[in-house]
Amino acid sequence: MLTLVGLGLQDYRDITFRGYEAVKNAEEVYLDTYTSRISSSIEDLQRFFGKRIIEAKRNDLEEGSRKIIEKAKEKDVVILVPGDPTIATTHIALVLEARKANVETKIINNASIINAVCSLTGLQNYRFGKSATISWYRSKAFIETIYANLSIDAHTLLFLDLNPPMTIKDAVNRILELDSSFKDYFAVGIARAGSEDAVVKCDRLRELAHFSFGDPLHSLVILSKKLHVIEYECLTYFASAPEELRDLVL
Amino acid sequence: MLTLVGLGLQDYRDITFRGYEAVKNAEEVYLDTYTSRISSSIEDLQRFFGKRIIEAKRNDLEEGSRKIIEKAKEKDVVILVPGDPTIATTHIALVLEARKANVETKIINNASIINAVCSLTGLQNYRFGKSATISWYRSKAFIETIYANLSIDAHTLLFLDLNPPMTIKDAVNRILELDSSFKDYFAVGIARAGSEDAVVKCDRLRELAHFSFGDPLHSLVILSKKLHVIEYECLTYFASAPEELRDLVL
């Protein structure tokens, strides 16, 4: 059996009792270090669970996933995933491969960056459109996602590349290179979502490039052109939004 | 201090260690029984935490929230929320009111129905547009949300009214009353997401009305007109999708 266990947002204390039990009963435990990170090291996790934990890198989870799936035919295998195991395509694809190979699978959910972003900003989950990733080298598709979401008055959550970690400043520059008309759009920068020292700041995109967010990981939300009044008030209280954001309130 | 603690999807074992600690340290603990439900009763939770837990109904969390906020000025108050405390507007509004009253607030996130829907269906989180609620009495706005999402090739997650619980059949009927052209659209019905006996079925909307999903709670996803090949394969394996769904693959 292959069980994917979400670790939640911050450190090992964010695992659920159900997830903890699955780890304790597992015969082999991996930690996904490819799709995201939490602040506990593999050593912290080994101490907490009292178990050896094997690092699983990109190849172990993607092209080379057959190895883990083969083991899960014989043994109870757990893969620990920072955040929730349903956000990255990697994990869904892995579960699908396992099911094709007749391996029983289970997912133990946890909070993901998406929950953290709503908590930190006060933006309403149901008003988000599709999300996208801004990566260093690959596609410019994210800009099309922003356009699409704006066309239906939805916010866009942008994940920033992790390898190496992209900052909000880098992301703003990439957006403005592709479409400089975004410079006056309101957005929210979020640093270290889910950690004790998270930083959240709402401002026009061009201003966010100059704000000190500190260390990665960073994320960015491009706001819809219309805000619910509670969203506006939350951004004022939680993200020091400028007064003029009020013009967006429905 | 006011702390909102997510309970996760199924029962008390879905709380995180961080959430458990917050409850143990709290001087007063409420359970939100208005916005959602888990399968543990208030008595189960009292036994698990070894603490008295007070039921918080709609009025305690909305118009009458001042009472809880006043208590949180003096004491450590925890509100337990089924799922994640960032999904319902009620909780964000409550946190905002507390902050306005200079009460320190904290949110301990957990998995929500959104994570469960992605796990159960294999649909990719980043391909969902705005979500909406189909309620018995109120607005028809949800149909506009479906149109908007379809226009940008996004899936629509529809929450169904809880009071009394609406079934997938009821929801399909409501959609078809408003726009009968939806009858041939592909959708995914999900019953009891997050529980051990969840049921997931993908088919054309008119067919889903006749499928036996069993007891509530039910949710519904209206699929985008384009599917990623992995989404198609997942719906085949996880949701017994009909062969003809393949026509939607990009």
Side-chain angles (χ1 to χ4, degrees):
Chain A
M1 176 149 168
L2 178 67
T3 306
L4 271 63
V5 176
L7 280 172
L9 290 163
Q10 192 172 339
D11 64 32
Y12 58 81
R13 293 185 304 149
D14 292 300
I15 197 167
T16 65
F17 281 71
R18 189 183 304 278
Y20 182 80
E21 235 169 76
V23 175
K24 292 302 267 187
N25 294 331
E27 290 159 280
E28 204 151 309
V29 182
Y30 294 85
L31 171 67
D32 162 12
T33 59
Y34 162 55
T35 62
S36 188
R37 290 172 205 172
I38 61 166
S39 64
S40 296
S41 66
I42 203 161
E43 291 75 26
D44 293 338
L45 291 168
Q46 293 193 137
R47 254 191 308 274
F48 180 66
F49 292 114
K51 270 219 151 127
R52 189 169 81 101
I53 296 174
I54 306 158
E55 186 177 354
K57 298 186 182 172
R58 178 174 184 165
N59 185 58
D60 303 314
L61 300 169
E62 297 195 336
E63 298 77 10
S65 67
R66 184 148 298 278
K67 223 176 107 193
I68 289 179
I69 291 170
E70 280 302 314
K71 286 194 177 166
K73 280 188 179 167
E74 312 287 326
K75 293 182 183 181
D76 278 332
V77 174
V78 161
I79 303 177
L80 292 167
V81 177
D84 182 64
T86 60
I87 303 305
T89 314
T90 301
H91 305 122
I92 297 287
L94 185 66
V95 168
L96 180 65
E97 286 313 308
R99 290 280 277 268
K100 284 183 181 175
N102 281 314
V103 171
E104 211 191 329
T105 61
K106 193 171 181 177
I107 294 179
I108 298 179
N109 292 114
N110 207 321
S112 77
I113 176 103
I114 297 173
N115 308 276
V117 164
C118 291
S119 299
L120 288 167
T121 61
L123 291 169
Q124 296 180 352
N125 192 281
Y126 74 90
R127 302 199 65 241
F128 278 80
K130 296 196 280 189
S131 48
T133 299
I134 309 187
S135 72
W136 289 110
Y137 309 108
R138 280 179 296 172
S139 118
K140 293 165 185 167
F142 74 88
I143 202 96
E144 301 300 330
T145 303
I146 302 174
Y147 293 139
N149 288 333
L150 286 171
S151 78
I152 65 163
D153 293 322
H155 309 310
T156 307
L157 171 56
L158 295 165
F159 301 109
L160 310 188
D161 204 330
L162 290 176
N163 299 297
M166 185 183 280
T167 65
I168 288 164
K169 182 179 187 154
D170 298 324
V172 170
N173 289 339
R174 265 191 71 74
I175 294 169
L176 298 185
E177 268 167 32
L178 292 173
D179 186 342
S180 63
S181 73
F182 275 116
K183 68 182 192 304
D184 291 323
Y185 278 55
F186 283 103
V188 188
I190 301 129
R192 299 172 303 286
S195 79
E196 294 288 345
D197 67 339
V199 168
V200 190
K201 171 66 183 167
C202 172
D203 212 329
R204 294 191 191 273
L205 214 47
R206 61 178 149 77
E207 299 297 332
L208 288 185
H210 304 296
F211 187 83
S212 294
F213 283 98
D215 291 335
L217 307 180
H218 291 185
S219 327
L220 188 62
V221 176
I222 308 295
L223 294 176
S224 153
K225 283 189 179 166
K226 293 177 188 165
L227 286 182
H228 189 287
V229 62
I230 294 199
E231 292 182 314
Y232 163 71
E233 290 196 32
C234 285
L235 289 172
T236 304
Y237 277 84
F238 306 164
S240 323
E243 181 58 34
E244 66 215 63
L245 184 70
R246 181 175 273 285
D247 300 341
L248 271 58
V249 174
L250 284 166
Chain B
M1 177 149 167
L2 177 67
T3 306
L4 271 62
V5 176
L7 281 172
L9 292 163
Q10 192 172 338
D11 64 32
Y12 58 80
R13 292 187 304 151
D14 292 300
I15 198 166
T16 65
F17 282 71
R18 189 182 304 278
Y20 182 80
E21 235 168 76
V23 175
K24 293 302 267 185
N25 294 332
E27 290 158 281
E28 203 151 308
V29 183
Y30 294 86
L31 171 67
D32 162 13
T33 59
Y34 162 55
T35 62
S36 188
R37 291 172 206 174
I38 61 167
S39 64
S40 295
S41 66
I42 203 161
E43 291 75 26
D44 292 340
L45 291 168
Q46 292 193 138
R47 255 191 307 275
F48 181 67
F49 293 115
K51 270 221 153 125
R52 188 169 82 101
I53 296 174
I54 305 158
E55 186 177 354
K57 298 187 183 172
R58 179 176 182 162
N59 186 58
D60 304 314
L61 300 169
E62 297 195 335
E63 299 77 10
S65 67
R66 183 148 299 278
K67 222 177 106 191
I68 289 180
I69 291 170
E70 280 303 313
K71 286 193 176 165
K73 280 189 179 168
E74 311 287 326
K75 294 182 182 181
D76 278 332
V77 174
V78 161
I79 303 177
L80 292 168
V81 177
D84 182 64
T86 59
I87 303 306
T89 315
T90 301
H91 305 121
I92 297 288
L94 185 66
V95 168
L96 179 64
E97 286 313 307
R99 290 281 277 267
K100 284 182 181 174
N102 282 314
V103 171
E104 210 190 329
T105 61
K106 192 171 181 178
I107 294 178
I108 299 180
N109 292 113
N110 207 320
S112 77
I113 177 101
I114 297 172
N115 307 275
V117 164
C118 291
S119 299
L120 288 167
T121 61
L123 292 170
Q124 294 179 355
N125 192 282
Y126 74 90
R127 302 199 65 242
F128 278 80
K130 296 196 280 189
S131 48
T133 299
I134 309 187
S135 72
W136 289 110
Y137 309 108
R138 279 179 296 174
S139 119
K140 292 165 184 167
F142 74 87
I143 202 97
E144 301 300 330
T145 303
I146 301 175
Y147 292 141
N149 288 333
L150 286 171
S151 78
I152 65 163
D153 292 323
H155 309 311
T156 308
L157 172 56
L158 295 166
F159 301 109
L160 309 189
D161 204 332
L162 290 176
N163 300 297
M166 185 183 280
T167 65
I168 288 163
K169 183 178 186 155
D170 298 324
V172 170
N173 289 339
R174 269 198 58 81
I175 294 169
L176 298 186
E177 268 166 33
L178 293 173
D179 186 342
S180 64
S181 73
F182 275 117
K183 68 182 192 303
D184 291 324
Y185 279 55
F186 283 104
V188 189
I190 302 128
R192 300 173 302 285
S195 79
E196 294 286 345
D197 67 339
V199 168
V200 190
K201 171 65 182 169
C202 172
D203 211 328
R204 296 191 191 270
L205 213 47
R206 61 178 148 78
E207 300 296 333
L208 288 185
H210 304 295
F211 187 82
S212 295
F213 284 97
D215 292 336
L217 307 179
H218 291 183
S219 326
L220 188 63
V221 176
I222 308 295
L223 293 175
S224 152
K225 283 188 179 166
K226 294 177 188 166
L227 287 182
H228 188 289
V229 62
I230 294 198
E231 292 182 313
Y232 163 71
E233 291 196 33
C234 284
L235 288 172
T236 304
Y237 276 84
F238 306 163
S240 323
E243 180 60 34
E244 65 215 64
L245 185 71
R246 180 175 274 286
D247 300 341
L248 270 58
V249 174
L250 284 166

